[in-house]
Amino acid sequence: MTGTLAVGLMTPVASAAGKGPCYDGRCRTTVSAPKTIKVNSRKFGFKQFKITHISSRSVDMSTTTTNGTQLGGGTSPGGTVELNNLKIKVKSVSGRKAKLQLSPTSR
C-alpha cells in the first residue's frame, strides 16, 4: 500500500465554524474601518470589537462587554490597545488600512 503525504497551511477550525480567523485571539489581519472582528466571549468578555477609525496617526476601536460595559481605545502605528485580556497591536498603517496582530494577555 502506498500513499502520499501532503503538507500545507490549514485554516483555523474556528474560521470554518463561521466564527472568524481571530476567534481565539491569535491572528494577524489587515482591516479598513469600519470592521468588526469576532472573538471568543468566554475568553475575552466580549464577542466582537469594532475598528471605528483608521488614519496615519491613529487606529481607534471599541466594544461592549457581555455585562454591558463600554470599552475602547486608540493608538498610533506601533502601539497596543488592551481590551480586557486581548492585546491588539497596530503593526502599521498604509492609507486607510491597518495591519493588526491580536494576542491574549498573560493575565
Side-chain angles (χ1 to χ4, degrees):
M1 184 189 286
T2 62
T4 305
L5 177 63
V7 178
L9 297 175
M10 296 187 66
T11 304
V13 174
S15 180
K19 296 179 182 174
C22 297
Y23 186 74
D24 69 352
R26 296 179 192 279
C27 72
R28 291 181 184 208
T29 187
T30 301
V31 298
S32 56
K35 173 69 176 177
T36 299
I37 299 173
K38 295 179 183 180
V39 295
N40 184 331
S41 63
R42 283 191 254 165
K43 190 171 186 179
F44 302 110
F46 53 91
K47 64 181 178 179
Q48 62 191 17
F49 68 96
K50 186 173 187 175
I51 303 299
T52 57
H53 177 78
I54 297 173
S55 73
S56 61
R57 295 183 184 182
S58 70
V59 176
D60 300 326
M61 55 204 78
S62 66
T63 190
T64 301
T65 65
T66 52
N67 68 7
T69 303
Q70 298 283 320
L71 299 176
T75 188
S76 57
T80 300
V81 171
E82 285 191 28
L83 300 175
N84 283 350
N85 58 338
L86 179 65
K87 282 186 191 178
I88 303 142
K89 180 167 179 74
V90 177
K91 300 291 279 182
S92 64
V93 173
S94 178
R96 297 285 180 187
K97 293 187 178 192
K99 289 186 180 184
L100 308 178
Q101 181 176 340
L102 279 63
S103 60
T105 63
S106 56
R107 293 186 238 181

